[in-house]
Amino acid sequence: MTTIHIDRLRKMYKEQVAVAETTMTLESGQFVVFLGPSGCGKTTTLNCVAGFEEPTSGRILFDERDVTTLAPHERNVAMVFQSALLYPHLTALRNVEMSLVHAGIDAAEQKRRVAEVVELLHIGAVMHKRPGALSGGERQRVALAKALVRQPDVFLMDEPFSALDAALRNSLRSELVLLQKRLAVTTVFVTHDQVEAMTMGDVVVVMNAGHVEQIGSPQDIYERPASRFVAGFIGSPPMNLVDGRLEARAGRTWFRSESLALALPDALVAGVGAKAGESVTLGVRPQHLDLVDAGPGPGEGQVAVNAYAVERLGKENIVVGRHGEQVWRVIAEPHVQPALDSALTLRVRPEAVHLFGARS
Ligand code: ATP
């Protein structure tokens, strides 16, 4: 059981900032996911924890132990990569056993541990095969076994399932989560796939351009995104984000943009700390908009759009509308299929909106 402290970590490649000053604590036994777009610094942060990269400044601690300058093999971490790193000339069994060869563990204990991980990962039937004769899923299971068998203090995984097909990815995700809960080894898992992050992580660290945007449970980051970036990145279809201004009128605070005027809940405005006249971004998820009958013109809290596309998902449709350059997505019943370019009116549910000011 190891708690990982990342303390003011910074990593530069010449002039380029790969990781800006980052501090976080990854609690013992947690499954932590680093999530963000390509190039945001996930792998670099993971590699600093693993010992493959030396930080430009800052420290990495495992519990109280400063491991910043230790080599990977001195940290007792096990790593799993996107493509399984297996010796091609050895059987799956020998590959797993090789992990223990230099560990000074007696033969009986080696045998017991190997048998345990083979059973945990359901790979008994393929252990006599060489990697070339294994399917992608089997290879990745063997790579997991190789990592698990060492009983590391920390498990580090860099997009281990991204080369697999969707069905296999799904089943391996659930298996890995179960396994991790059973072993309670602190785990850091890197992905750019939000579904993977949301379904697997106890904690998700959302990164963007070398910075941490938000750390929280999947529910937290979905329901209470801390920034415009997180709001737009988490959720599919994405949240509608509209730039506008705050306006004080008739004792209320209003959001006003070219397409929408909406009286805002007081608590929401207070939470953002923005004042009348300031620029803000309003966010509303596609399931929190309703298609309503058009009146003589859009009323308060309503938006006039022209239907631009309908994405049919079977259980529901995503109706895409445009108001000038602004795109609005709304989730509608499957029978709702407006003609392209027809005029539609959307109603924003005020209790479900998010607001982002310059400081959030
Ligand atoms: P991906 O999902 O594409 O792997 P990432 O979020 O893991 O991306 P990193 O690989 O950590 O991102 O890279 C962060 C930034 O640092 C990128 O802009 C990348 O180009 C740069 N970078 C990473 N490794 C090196 C290196 N060895 N030399 C120079 N620049 C690097």
Side-chain angles (χ1 to χ4, degrees):
M1 299 288 266
T2 302
T3 298
I4 304 170
H5 302 279
I6 298 177
D7 177 29
R8 290 167 293 159
L9 173 71
R10 198 172 151 75
K11 179 67 185 176
M12 306 275 298
Y13 292 107
K14 297 201 174 116
E15 298 302 299
Q16 190 186 354
V17 180
V19 181
E21 200 168 288
T22 293
T23 294
M24 64 180 110
T25 296
L26 314 179
E27 299 294 345
S28 169
Q30 270 184 339
F31 195 118
V32 180
V33 180
F34 289 173
L35 172 68
S38 187
C40 70
K42 308 179 293 289
T43 295
T44 305
T45 309
L46 192 78
N47 284 344
C48 289
V49 175
F52 296 132
E53 293 281 359
E54 196 175 322
T56 305
S57 60
R59 296 185 309 159
I60 307 287
L61 290 100
F62 287 179
D63 295 325
E64 307 307 317
R65 190 163 69 112
D66 188 337
V67 299
T68 317
T69 55
L70 296 187
H73 69 272
E74 296 172 297
R75 301 187 184 201
N76 199 22
V77 297
M79 188 118 180
V80 183
F81 299 91
Q82 182 175 348
S83 49
L85 295 183
L86 301 174
Y87 298 107
H89 58 293
L90 299 180
T91 63
L93 181 64
R94 278 304 290 155
N95 264 284
V96 175
E97 286 173 350
M98 285 297 281
S99 275
L100 297 174
V101 163
H102 303 296
I105 298 163
D106 69 59
E109 172 64 6
Q110 282 192 25
K111 222 171 152 195
R112 193 195 63 74
R113 282 205 205 171
V114 171
E116 187 181 53
V117 294
V118 165
E119 197 199 323
L120 272 176
L121 287 153
H122 317 293
I123 47 177
V126 299
M127 294 310 279
H128 62 287
K129 293 188 180 181
R130 290 185 180 177
L134 298 173
S135 71
E138 288 163 352
R139 264 200 301 276
Q140 216 42 297
R141 279 200 181 88
V142 172
L144 280 172
K146 210 168 134 74
L148 277 179
V149 79
R150 288 180 37 208
Q151 301 187 347
D153 292 333
V154 173
F155 230 156
L156 304 173
M157 306 193 186
D158 196 351
E159 311 228 23
F161 305 147
S162 60
L164 306 176
D165 70 54
L168 198 52
R169 239 175 12 227
N170 273 336
S171 64
L172 276 176
R173 275 178 203 158
S174 342
E175 281 179 34
L176 180 59
V177 168
L178 280 173
L179 211 58
Q180 196 273 341
K181 290 283 158 281
R182 195 164 147 188
L183 301 170
V185 175
T186 313
T187 300
V188 188
F189 186 104
V190 162
T191 183
H192 59 264
D193 178 339
Q194 56 158 306
V195 174
E196 197 154 78
M198 302 296 270
T199 51
M200 296 182 83
D202 297 317
V203 171
V204 179
V205 179
V206 186
M207 296 184 182
N208 177 31
H211 293 270
V212 171
E213 293 269 340
Q214 187 170 1
I215 302 178
S217 68
Q219 198 176 355
D220 262 347
I221 60 171
Y222 182 80
E223 289 180 358
R224 288 174 288 281
S227 66
R228 184 190 161 121
F229 174 84
V230 177
F233 193 71
I234 304 289
S236 178
M239 188 185 279
N240 298 292
L241 292 167
V242 193
D243 293 328
R245 237 164 228 300
L246 291 183
E247 197 178 87
R249 180 157 55 87
R252 301 289 308 269
T253 305
W254 292 69
F255 170 83
R256 183 172 282 283
S257 74
E258 201 206 324
S259 54
L260 172 70
L262 178 74
L264 297 169
D266 292 338
L268 186 68
V269 180
V272 172
K275 296 192 180 58
E278 288 187 8
S279 297
V280 290
T281 299
L282 180 128
V284 58
R285 295 213 181 270
Q287 63 271 36
H288 297 143
L289 288 168
D290 300 301
L291 279 166
V292 293
D293 290 335
E300 284 165 5
Q302 296 185 343
V303 188
V305 297
N306 286 336
Y308 178 68
V310 179
E311 296 164 10
R312 296 180 186 89
L313 299 180
K315 74 176 168 53
E316 61 200 17
N317 285 346
I318 300 166
V319 178
V320 187
R322 290 184 82 147
H323 180 112
E325 290 300 301
Q326 179 73 49
V327 172
W328 290 84
R329 285 188 176 77
V330 53
I331 291 184
E333 297 288 322
H335 65 268
V336 178
Q337 298 187 11
L340 290 190
D341 222 28
S342 56
L344 304 172
T345 303
L346 311 179
R347 190 184 77 86
V348 177
R349 297 185 205 163
E351 72 282 3
V353 301
H354 301 260
L355 200 62
F356 305 99
R359 287 176 292 278
S360 56

